[in-house]
Amino acid sequence: MANYLAHFQTIKNACDHLVIAVEDVSDLWPAVRKGFEERLPLKRAYLNNKTRNSVLVEKLSAEFIITTDPRLRSRFPQEQLLFWFREPYATVVLVSCEDLDEFKTILKPRLKLIVQNDEREWFIVFVSKAHPSNDQATKMAKRVYAKLEVDFNSKKRERCCKLDIHCPEPNFWEDLESKIMESIRNTLDRRVQFYEDEIRKLSEQRLTPIWNFCNFFILKESLAFMFEMAHLHEDALREYDELELCYLETVNAAGKQRDFGGTDQGDDQAALLNPGNKLLTQIVQDDSFREFEFRQYLFACQSKLLFKLNRPFEVASRGYSFVISFSKALAHHESMLPFCMREVWVVSACLALINATASHYNDGFGAPDIEKGFYCVQGNLYSLCRVKFMRLAYLIGYGTEIERSPVNSASLSMLSWPMPAVWPPVPPDASSMVLEKEKAILQATPRVKHFGIQRKPLPLEPSTLLREANRRRASLSAGNMVEMFEGRPIIFDGSGSDASVRMSPSSKVHVISMTRTNSSPINFESSIDRPMRLAEIYVAAEHALQQTISDTDLWKSLSSVEGFEKKYLELTKGAADNYHHSWWKRHGVVLDGEIAAVCYKHGNFDLAAKSYEKVCALYAGEGWQDLLAEVLPNLAECQKILNDEAGYLSSCVRLLSLDKSLFSTKERQAFQSEVVRLAHSEMKHPVPLDVSSLITFAGNPGPPLELCDGDPGTLSVTVWSGFPDDITLESLSLTLVATSNVDEGVKALRSSSAPILKPGRNTITLTLPPQKPGSYVLGVLTGQIGQLRFRSHSFSKGGPADSDDFMSYEKPARPILKVSKPRPLVDLAAAISSALLMNEPQWVGIIVRPINYSLKGAVLYIDTGPGLKIEESHPIELERHFGVSQSTTDMESCDQPRKNDSSVAIKEFEQLILQNGRIVLPDWASKITSVIWFPICAISDKLARGTSSVMPQKPSIVDGMRTIALKLEFGVSLNQTFDRTLAVHFTDPFHVSTRVVDKCNDGTLLLQVTLYSQVKATLTIYDAWLDLQDGFVHAGRGDGRPASAFFPLVIAPTAKAGILFCICLGTTIPGEGWLSLWAPDNLLNLLDICLCLYIGCDIATKSFLPHDLSVWNFLRYLLIARGLLCLVLLEIRSIHNTEKLYILSILPLDKAGNDAKAPQPESMLNIRYGIAGNRTIGAHEPVTVEPARSEDSKQDLIFRSALVLQRPVMDPCLAVGFLPLSSGGLRVGQLVTMKWRIEWLKDFDENSISENNDEVLYEVNANSETWMIAGRKRGHVSLSKKQGSRIVISILCLPLVAGYVHPPKLGLPNVDEANISCNPAGPHLVCVLPPIFSSSFCIPA
């Protein structure tokens, strides 16, 4: 089967689509050919893949070929089976017949003969030539077609269709395509099954000696090629993948040695995308193929299918992996290949893949992840090609032109040298070239970095090229012997991305070395000449490369320095641009630095600076300071050349910010000198810079500074300077950031002086203004050095006192300041707990209690309210407070840090002076609770009034309230204020109530005066007397003293005592012009007759209407003359045993006669007393404002209280009775009539009843929760003034609740309650029944 290999490749090249055979029985093909070929390619064809799943093919290429064509002539049976994929997939039989007999005798037998081959998929197309106007011919054609269907159609399949030439039916072409696709599908399935069976048979023989890979390859590729013709590219790709795996297993299997290949002219150019680069017959070797050509051929077939599937990304990713693996295979056979064959092949393969995949890739049409992955692979291909290209350039002496950057050093130092069997010798006529190379080596000088930075150049080779080349000069060198007997060294093929490798100073490739000797191994001859010089090695390598490289473009790039730089820049830009579009953007930035080095070399400093800035930003962001130290000086040099002062200043600061170990002290001092020089130069605009790595700061160790709301303070901050020398700052400020409220913003603290930062640790003190409550952390440190405005965001925690570890960051940031929420810092309270004496100077104490806060320098302002007066002539007293409520813990916690200060002695008492209502607290009282005593007097012109014990009324404390407004200013700068208004209660010492305890038979009344102590102090009564009002006189003694005088009388605090006075009703002449006479009806007949005669009225009717005022005056003088100046009380008993008292008021004289003196309307109680109390509790002895008298002399106090004595009314005038309710009772929700009867019991007194004698005002009062009043609640009723008159008042009421409740009450507002007799006498209850159940809400059972 291997003999058909050449023929197989010829068939593949000539056939790329399916064939449909046309059997023209009736010579119809020329007539119908155009219509048939217009249907190609077939649209939306459904074929079965290898797994028998239906696959949609949008366009299926095919070709109609008549059976008489030479291309379909008969072949040998074995050849037909072997190349079955090129045979027709369907056979179309064209027939036409207009006579039924002809069909039966001629056409039918012929058709039977044609279709008898079971291997062919066929169907018959009957072409009707009958014109539509010829009915007979049309009918005959239909009959013939019907007979054709009967003979050749079956139940499973219809194999006939009809084409009318003159007017084709609309569905004919769809029917034709359907039958063609059915035939192709069946044929494809049958042939796929055939190839699978044959392949399976060969696979079973793989471990047998008769196994032949060529036979397996022809069958496998025939199946793949058939899938490719059917546009089933996925299945074809799968077959090639399986073929590659099978081949690799065959190659790697232990057995006879095979030729690798790769030694032909032009093999240095990769053929990864050209499957026809070499004929299969050229690469066949025994029963297999050479690995070098065949693996590339398989990949080219795979890539062709992937391009047809529009998957260039997969081509690139597969190609990158293939290049890596194939490079290792080349390294394994490197000793048999031309010099640097591996590097040259990798370069050409990468460039071919890059160009092919880039041309097939439609940017923006793929998914984002596919697009980024494609650019990433492209970047890897560029990077790999770049590394190999640099290795070739280094071998021919261009090493001085390669930038010794970290990325280049990391890539080339890990890439092994070429390992030929023998290092190429120097050509005989190369002396001039060697001289030129030596001259170039001598003239090459490394570029000196800016600032005089001295660095050891980074290596670009794994080992010394001079030693490596001399080791391989002879085939029997010591190095080769080690490789021969101990194994081959580890090969670094440079497959990793050069941009992703970070060079480590300790990473070195150790190459096995052996001491060279002149001895040679056994049976080997040695030809060791003198060692080659480096220039000779370059010339020899260049000469050998010229023999290896067949690509003129590649050799042109290596033939000159300009060509090398151009190609190098092209590859570097390609890698960087692709990395920028992928996920590996950092790789692109790193390669931008290599582009910047080339731009700098050629004087394009602007582009170099832009690229260096990207690289520096990447290294700084990743924290690669050692790499940043290599690139940042280059950026600074570019900026200096471009006169970019701001950028140059920033670069110098960044150089200072790097780790100290990266530069020497002298170099760092040079950086600082440049910073200072530029900062103080004449720059147009200030330059803001971030120096977070150069200047760090933190709060001092220990707890944060704690302040109260509104307090200023001083904040100490530790600043670490990374400058090598002292540096003077024009300004320095620090911001505080609130941790609790993000909307609070930042607050800047500025240093008052220009600080000088020394290298290492510095302590800066900042003035702290009042801050809002919350926790604060350090924000940003800002400052200015000349025109340089710097800021630092770096927070560091302070280490030990002797440590300068300013790069130890703390996370999270520790609070540096805590401002407490508004809380009570001080408390002002009254030192007294009870009332003080009214109208007497009293001590008022104010307790000043600091709450964990110092009151040093505090000022207290006192402002008295109305009715208060401070006795400013008396000094203010300040004393330490030892109250019960003050705990020891509060005293100890009050300003604990400053309490230890023994410079201020704590006193117990001090006198102060009140100036304009202002008191300054002394220092000794700033830490303790103290009391300020100042004399004050509450002024009140209101006379105390006694009350009756029948209707007691407590005195209102509101009348004695006075307010004192206090304002305390304290704090460091008196910024804290505390305002409080204290209410102080002042009162009279006694509250007086009176009652008549007994009435004697002789008309004497015993009046009891009860004295209630209203102060928490001991009161001592020394004397008491009562000045009676008009109408009352003292019985017995006339001095007004009490009947029993047990003086001095001591009254305990809040206790009470009684004093008994004996008085009687009588006439008093308080002054000229008044006379009051109380006369009973049993006086002397003469006086009674005279009085009744001149008054002109009947005493029984109480009509006091005098008719003659002159006679009345005469009578009054007569009575005065007879000594009737007092009130006489007589007790008489009527026949009904009732006591009647009549009052006669003598009207005053006319004002024209004599001067009148105002009467005394109320009695006056006078008490002389003394008080003994404690000022810390309440009332006490009044403050002595005048000069002190002798100690024995005491100041007695006088208390006066007005008493109103009233005569009782013995008989009521009106009777109000509640009439009984109906016998039905009361029920909730039912109206009921409430009735009251009002009756006059006697003739009315005009002073007791309303002015309108014919009307009485009534008012009904009821509980709204119990009753609802339906009638008029208030009104007037007409009632006669005669005794015995009565009236009934009726009101409709509605009870609301059930139970025993109080009924509504009838009241007479204009009548004194003493003149009303009620029945029943007190509150009573009535029974209210629940409501009756309603049947309307009941549900019948």
Side-chain angles (χ1 to χ4, degrees):
M1 191 182 296
N3 299 327
Y4 297 100
L5 194 59
H7 188 40
F8 171 69
Q9 190 168 9
T10 303
I11 295 173
K12 276 186 56 179
N13 296 333
C15 182
D16 60 347
H17 52 262
L18 303 180
V19 176
I20 303 173
V22 178
E23 189 71 39
D24 190 4
V25 178
S26 303
D27 297 331
L28 298 172
W29 177 243
V32 299
R33 179 175 181 176
K34 182 179 180 182
F36 274 60
E37 291 181 349
E38 287 178 352
R39 312 309 300 178
L40 299 178
L42 299 175
K43 308 294 192 299
R44 299 187 63 80
Y46 284 91
L47 299 178
N48 295 330
N49 60 6
K50 188 176 180 179
T51 58
R52 301 301 185 269
N53 293 324
S54 181
V55 178
L56 173 62
V57 179
E58 293 292 342
K59 294 181 180 181
L60 180 60
S61 301
E63 182 183 3
F64 291 101
I65 301 178
I66 196 168
T67 54
T68 58
D69 193 291
R71 291 175 293 177
L72 297 182
R73 60 190 175 182
S74 61
R75 303 179 179 88
F76 298 105
Q78 185 179 3
E79 183 181 352
Q80 290 180 351
L81 291 176
L82 187 60
F83 306 121
W84 205 4
F85 61 87
R86 71 169 182 169
E87 296 299 321
Y89 287 79
T91 301
V92 181
V93 182
L94 297 176
V95 298
S96 179
C97 184
E98 298 178 359
D99 184 30
L100 190 58
D101 294 336
E102 180 183 356
F103 170 76
K104 293 180 180 181
T105 58
I106 301 174
L107 185 58
K108 180 178 179 181
R110 187 175 177 182
L111 291 177
K112 289 291 184 180
L113 183 63
I114 293 174
V115 302
Q116 66 181 358
N117 187 1
D118 294 336
E119 299 296 334
R120 301 169 63 181
E121 284 290 333
W122 57 269
F123 63 93
I124 300 173
V125 177
F126 180 79
V127 181
S128 175
K129 300 178 181 180
H131 198 273
S133 61
N134 191 347
D135 295 339
Q136 184 177 0
T138 303
K139 292 180 181 180
M140 183 56 67
K142 289 182 180 180
R143 291 177 63 187
V144 173
Y145 179 69
K147 184 63 176 174
L148 184 66
E149 286 183 321
V150 171
D151 293 339
F152 293 97
N153 283 347
S154 63
K155 294 182 179 180
K156 295 183 179 180
R157 187 173 179 184
E158 293 184 0
R159 293 182 178 271
C160 300
C161 59
K162 181 184 177 183
L163 172 61
D164 194 343
I165 294 180
H166 299 286
C167 52
E169 295 181 5
N171 58 349
F172 167 75
W173 297 111
E174 296 180 1
D175 192 16
L176 176 66
E177 290 182 2
S178 176
K179 287 180 170 54
I180 292 175
M181 288 310 307
E182 185 178 8
S183 300
I184 293 176
R185 185 163 46 249
N186 294 336
T187 302
L188 183 63
D189 293 344
R190 189 181 301 113
R191 293 178 182 177
V192 168
Q193 186 63 42
F194 166 77
Y195 278 111
E196 287 183 348
D197 294 340
E198 294 297 324
I199 292 171
R200 188 180 302 110
K201 293 177 184 179
L202 289 180
S203 298
E204 293 173 356
Q205 301 175 2
R206 287 180 59 185
L207 301 178
T208 62
I210 63 173
W211 162 258
N212 190 304
F213 181 77
C214 291
N215 297 338
F216 181 81
F217 164 72
I218 292 175
L219 289 176
K220 197 72 172 174
E221 190 172 25
S222 296
L223 178 58
F225 188 68
M226 184 173 62
F227 281 133
E228 185 178 354
M229 289 192 305
H231 288 215
L232 299 176
H233 302 303
E234 289 285 356
D235 295 87
L237 181 62
R238 192 177 298 111
E239 297 302 320
Y240 279 113
D241 292 342
E242 295 176 0
L243 184 60
E244 183 182 14
L245 293 175
C246 183
Y247 176 76
L248 292 177
E249 292 178 2
T250 304
V251 171
N252 297 328
K256 58 182 180 180
Q257 295 291 333
R258 293 184 175 87
D259 185 14
F260 179 74
T263 58
D264 298 338
Q265 182 66 26
D267 284 349
D268 61 299
Q269 299 186 41
L272 297 181
L273 303 175
N274 184 14
N277 182 52
K278 286 186 180 182
L279 298 177
L280 294 176
T281 54
Q282 296 177 354
I283 64 175
V284 68
Q285 183 182 14
D286 297 332
D287 58 348
S288 184
F289 302 93
R290 292 203 300 258
E291 182 179 356
F292 181 81
E293 291 86 358
F294 188 71
R295 287 186 63 181
Q296 295 187 67
Y297 169 78
L298 290 179
F299 184 82
C301 295
Q302 294 170 347
S303 61
K304 181 178 67 172
L305 293 173
L306 289 172
F307 281 135
K308 289 182 179 180
L309 291 171
N310 194 21
R311 281 146 62 175
F313 166 60
E314 190 169 349
V315 175
S317 60
R318 284 189 175 207
Y320 181 69
S321 301
F322 179 81
V323 170
I324 298 300
S325 62
F326 199 69
S327 176
K328 294 179 181 180
L330 292 175
H332 187 71
H333 299 88
E334 190 172 2
S335 59
M336 298 176 292
L337 296 175
F339 182 69
C340 290
M341 177 68 180
R342 178 165 62 115
E343 286 78 6
V344 176
W345 183 91
V346 170
V347 170
S348 62
C350 291
L351 291 177
L353 286 172
I354 290 170
N355 297 329
T357 53
S359 61
H360 284 82
Y361 183 75
N362 295 323
D363 193 5
F365 289 93
D369 54 343
I370 298 296
E371 181 178 353
K372 290 185 179 295
F374 172 76
Y375 286 117
C376 182
V377 176
Q378 290 284 95
N380 290 339
L381 290 171
Y382 269 113
S383 181
L384 179 58
C385 180
R386 173 179 173 274
V387 173
K388 298 296 184 181
F389 182 72
M390 284 192 298
R391 170 59 74 225
L392 294 176
Y394 192 90
L395 287 172
I396 62 178
Y398 294 158
T400 56
E401 307 299 329
I402 300 175
E403 177 72 14
R404 292 181 176 269
S405 62
V407 59
N408 289 342
S409 176
S411 301
L412 294 178
S413 62
M414 298 180 65
L415 184 63
S416 62
W417 294 114
M419 298 180 183
V422 179
W423 195 268
V426 180
D429 53 349
S431 58
S432 60
M433 298 177 60
V434 172
L435 184 60
E436 184 179 352
K437 293 289 184 182
E438 288 182 348
K439 184 178 179 181
I441 294 173
L442 295 175
Q443 292 179 353
T445 56
R447 181 167 62 91
V448 180
K449 289 192 174 183
H450 191 46
F451 302 108
I453 299 175
Q454 299 294 331
R455 290 289 183 274
K456 183 179 180 181
L458 298 176
L460 296 179
E461 60 279 334
S463 60
T464 306
L465 179 60
L466 182 63
R467 176 176 178 274
E468 185 68 22
N470 284 290
R471 285 180 62 244
R472 296 188 178 274
R473 284 185 57 200
S475 60
L476 299 180
S477 62
N480 289 341
M481 288 300 298
V482 174
E483 295 168 9
M484 182 182 301
F485 295 109
E486 297 185 5
R488 302 183 63 85
I490 300 175
I491 298 172
F492 297 90
D493 55 4
S495 59
S497 173
D498 58 347
S500 63
V501 179
R502 182 164 173 249
M503 190 275 296
S504 175
S506 61
S507 299
K508 297 182 180 180
V509 177
H510 299 279
V511 180
I512 300 174
S513 63
M514 179 177 288
T515 306
R516 295 180 59 90
T517 62
N518 292 329
S519 61
S520 61
I522 302 174
N523 298 330
F524 287 97
E525 294 182 359
S526 177
S527 59
I528 301 179
D529 300 329
R530 66 169 182 84
M532 297 174 62
R533 300 193 304 272
L534 187 59
E536 294 175 341
I537 295 174
Y538 290 159
V539 173
E542 184 176 359
H543 179 72
L545 275 178
Q546 189 174 6
Q547 302 299 323
T548 302
I549 298 175
S550 61
D551 186 2
T552 57
D553 293 336
L554 180 58
W555 177 248
K556 183 179 179 180
S557 301
L558 294 171
S559 60
S560 63
V561 176
E562 293 77 11
F564 162 72
E565 289 184 350
K566 180 179 179 182
K567 191 67 175 180
Y568 171 79
L569 194 60
E570 175 187 344
L571 295 176
T572 307
K573 284 184 177 180
D577 292 342
N578 281 278
Y579 280 136
H580 282 307
H581 290 86
S582 68
W583 293 294
W584 296 0
K585 298 183 182 299
R586 294 186 300 179
H587 296 65
V589 174
V590 172
L591 292 176
D592 284 339
E594 305 307 309
I595 300 173
V598 178
C599 295
Y600 177 86
K601 180 179 178 181
H602 293 282
N604 195 347
F605 301 108
D606 191 10
L607 291 178
K610 292 180 180 179
S611 299
Y612 277 136
E613 286 177 356
K614 296 179 183 179
V615 179
C616 292
L618 172 64
Y619 289 165
E622 297 295 335
W624 299 339
Q625 294 202 16
D626 50 352
L627 297 178
L628 186 60
E630 295 289 337
V631 182
L632 192 54
N634 300 335
L635 173 60
E637 188 174 358
C638 293
Q639 292 169 337
K640 184 176 183 180
I641 295 174
L642 294 172
N643 199 22
D644 182 8
E645 295 181 345
Y648 182 51
L649 179 60
S650 174
S651 298
C652 293
V653 172
R654 293 169 68 182
L655 285 171
L656 284 170
S657 302
L658 296 180
D659 191 78
K660 295 180 180 179
S661 61
L662 297 175
F663 300 101
S664 63
T665 304
K666 184 178 181 180
E667 293 170 349
R668 290 175 53 80
Q669 290 174 349
F671 301 157
Q672 180 175 348
S673 63
E674 288 293 298
V675 169
V676 174
R677 182 184 65 82
L678 290 173
H680 293 85
S681 63
E682 296 180 358
M683 290 191 296
K684 296 181 179 178
H685 303 287
V687 179
L689 289 179
D690 191 336
V691 295
S692 298
S693 300
L694 183 60
I695 299 177
T696 59
F697 56 94
N700 289 332
L705 176 64
E706 296 185 2
L707 296 177
C708 294
D709 180 32
D711 274 356
T714 302
L715 183 65
S716 296
V717 180
T718 302
V719 179
W720 285 271
S721 172
F723 288 96
D725 294 330
D726 295 352
I727 188 166
T728 303
L729 308 181
E730 274 72 14
S731 63
L732 183 68
S733 61
L734 181 66
T735 60
L736 297 179
V737 181
T739 59
S740 58
N741 188 5
V742 296
D743 298 332
E744 183 67 23
V746 295
K747 301 176 180 179
L749 308 179
R750 299 186 180 276
S751 176
S752 58
S753 60
I756 299 177
L757 295 183
K758 298 181 179 180
R761 193 188 194 100
N762 299 269
T763 301
I764 305 299
T765 302
L766 302 173
T767 302
L768 186 66
Q771 306 293 322
K772 291 186 177 181
S775 179
Y776 293 86
V777 296
L778 296 178
V780 180
L781 181 71
T782 59
Q784 189 165 352
I785 306 173
Q787 293 293 323
L788 170 61
R789 294 179 180 175
F790 65 86
R791 57 190 295 120
S792 174
H793 299 267
S794 178
F795 309 96
S796 58
K797 60 182 179 181
D802 56 347
S803 173
D804 288 334
D805 183 15
F806 63 91
M807 291 302 293
S808 56
Y809 303 101
E810 63 171 11
K811 296 179 181 180
R814 183 174 58 88
I816 190 66
L817 172 65
K818 288 186 178 180
V819 181
S820 61
K821 294 182 179 180
R823 66 172 182 87
L825 303 178
V826 68
D827 186 34
L828 300 179
I832 53 177
S833 58
S834 61
L836 300 176
L837 288 180
M838 182 73 73
N839 293 321
E840 298 292 342
Q842 297 280 284
W843 288 105
V844 174
I846 299 176
I847 301 175
V848 182
R849 183 172 65 92
I851 305 175
N852 294 331
Y853 199 86
S854 175
L855 300 181
K856 186 175 182 179
V859 178
L860 178 64
Y861 294 89
I862 304 175
D863 183 15
T864 58
L868 280 180
K869 182 183 69 173
I870 297 179
E871 302 294 343
E872 296 185 359
S873 59
H874 198 280
I876 307 298
E877 297 181 0
L878 177 65
E879 65 182 11
R880 186 171 183 175
H881 179 63
F882 295 97
V884 179
S885 61
Q886 184 185 12
S887 63
T888 306
T889 304
D890 293 340
M891 296 176 62
E892 293 179 354
S893 61
C894 178
D895 200 9
Q896 186 66 27
R898 281 170 284 184
K899 190 174 181 180
N900 298 328
D901 187 7
S902 59
S903 60
V904 180
I906 299 179
K907 300 180 181 180
E908 299 292 337
F909 180 82
E910 184 177 351
Q911 288 188 345
L912 306 176
I913 302 299
L914 180 66
Q915 297 179 354
N916 299 324
R918 182 175 179 269
I919 300 174
V920 179
L921 297 181
D923 293 345
W924 64 267
S926 62
K927 313 173 223 180
I928 62 174
T929 303
S930 57
V931 185
I932 301 175
W933 296 99
F934 56 94
I936 196 169
C937 181
I939 301 173
S940 176
D941 298 334
K942 188 176 180 181
L943 184 65
R945 307 188 67 85
T947 60
S948 174
S949 61
V950 178
M951 298 180 63
Q953 295 181 359
K954 295 182 179 180
S956 176
I957 64 173
V958 178
D959 297 337
M961 280 295 176
R962 299 294 186 270
T963 59
I964 302 174
L966 304 176
K967 180 181 179 181
L968 181 65
E969 294 182 353
F970 58 99
V972 178
S973 56
L974 299 181
N975 57 298
Q976 300 282 359
T977 59
F978 182 80
D979 298 322
R980 171 159 291 183
T981 300
L982 299 181
V984 183
H985 184 206
F986 294 87
T987 184
D988 295 320
F990 303 103
H991 170 64
V992 181
S993 67
T994 60
R995 74 185 184 96
V996 178
V997 295
D998 194 9
K999 181 177 64 174
C1000 302
N1001 293 330
D1002 58 353
T1004 303
L1005 300 177
L1006 295 180
L1007 178 64
Q1008 177 182 341
V1009 178
T1010 304
L1011 303 178
Y1012 297 88
S1013 174
Q1014 297 190 107
V1015 295
K1016 290 184 179 181
T1018 301
L1019 299 174
T1020 303
I1021 300 177
Y1022 298 107
D1023 192 8
W1025 65 93
L1026 179 64
D1027 296 334
L1028 292 175
Q1029 65 190 65
D1030 296 341
F1032 293 91
V1033 295
H1034 289 279
R1037 293 183 304 173
D1039 57 356
R1041 263 56 177 184
S1044 59
F1046 297 99
F1047 298 115
L1049 178 62
V1050 179
I1051 303 177
T1054 66
K1056 62 182 178 179
I1059 302 177
L1060 190 65
F1061 290 92
C1062 183
I1063 63 174
C1064 60
L1065 300 176
T1067 302
T1068 60
I1069 306 298
E1072 185 181 0
W1074 287 91
L1075 175 66
S1076 298
L1077 176 65
W1078 289 73
D1081 55 1
N1082 59 352
L1083 290 174
L1084 293 175
N1085 294 331
L1086 179 60
L1087 182 58
D1088 191 13
I1089 294 173
C1090 292
L1091 291 173
C1092 293
L1093 178 63
Y1094 287 103
I1095 291 175
C1097 63
D1098 188 5
I1099 296 178
T1101 60
K1102 306 181 185 69
S1103 176
F1104 306 115
L1105 298 175
H1107 298 282
D1108 191 355
L1109 292 178
S1110 61
V1111 176
W1112 180 255
N1113 292 334
F1114 173 77
L1115 179 60
R1116 190 186 64 171
Y1117 285 116
L1118 178 64
L1119 292 175
I1120 293 174
R1122 295 179 60 183
L1124 296 177
L1125 300 178
C1126 64
L1127 180 65
V1128 179
L1129 177 63
L1130 296 177
E1131 187 178 59
I1132 59 175
R1133 302 286 183 182
S1134 64
I1135 56 175
H1136 300 290
N1137 294 326
T1138 58
E1139 185 179 42
K1140 296 182 180 179
L1141 185 64
Y1142 303 98
I1143 300 174
L1144 180 65
S1145 297
I1146 308 302
L1147 296 179
L1149 295 174
D1150 51 347
K1151 295 180 180 180
N1154 298 316
D1155 294 336
K1157 187 177 181 180
Q1160 183 176 349
E1162 49 193 12
S1163 303
M1164 186 67 66
L1165 176 65
N1166 303 278
I1167 298 176
R1168 183 170 60 86
Y1169 69 97
I1171 186 171
N1174 190 348
R1175 68 180 180 180
T1176 61
I1177 298 176
H1180 51 276
E1181 186 177 357
V1183 180
T1184 302
V1185 179
E1186 297 178 356
R1189 292 171 291 180
S1190 63
E1191 296 182 357
D1192 297 337
S1193 62
K1194 293 185 178 180
Q1195 181 180 3
D1196 293 337
L1197 307 177
I1198 301 297
F1199 169 73
R1200 294 180 177 83
S1201 177
L1203 304 178
V1204 179
L1205 304 179
Q1206 294 182 353
R1207 299 183 182 89
V1209 178
M1210 298 303 178
D1211 295 328
C1213 299
L1214 287 172
V1216 178
F1218 181 79
L1219 299 182
L1221 300 173
S1222 61
S1223 60
L1226 304 179
R1227 193 172 294 275
V1228 174
Q1230 293 183 355
L1231 290 173
V1232 62
T1233 302
M1234 296 288 183
K1235 297 181 179 180
W1236 294 270
R1237 183 171 61 194
I1238 303 176
E1239 181 179 358
W1240 286 110
L1241 299 179
K1242 60 182 179 179
D1243 293 341
F1244 65 89
D1245 186 0
E1246 64 178 356
N1247 294 327
S1248 302
I1249 313 299
S1250 60
E1251 296 178 358
N1252 191 351
N1253 294 331
D1254 294 334
E1255 292 184 351
V1256 175
L1257 176 65
Y1258 73 90
E1259 183 179 12
V1260 179
N1261 299 316
N1263 189 353
S1264 60
E1265 297 180 357
T1266 309
W1267 298 92
M1268 184 174 69
I1269 307 300
R1272 190 172 181 182
K1273 296 183 181 181
R1274 185 182 177 94
H1276 291 82
V1277 293
S1278 178
L1279 181 63
S1280 175
K1281 59 186 179 179
K1282 295 182 180 181
Q1283 181 179 3
S1285 301
R1286 66 180 59 181
I1287 191 172
V1288 176
I1289 298 177
S1290 301
I1291 300 296
L1292 284 176
C1293 301
L1294 183 69
L1296 301 178
V1297 295
Y1300 287 91
V1301 297
H1302 291 284
K1305 179 181 179 182
L1306 180 69
L1308 302 177
N1310 291 343
V1311 180
D1312 191 1
E1313 292 182 359
N1315 294 323
I1316 300 176
S1317 175
C1318 296
N1319 186 20
H1324 63 286
L1325 299 175
V1326 296
C1327 180
V1328 179
L1329 300 177
I1332 302 175
F1333 293 103
S1334 176
S1335 60
S1336 61
F1337 294 101
C1338 297
I1339 301 175

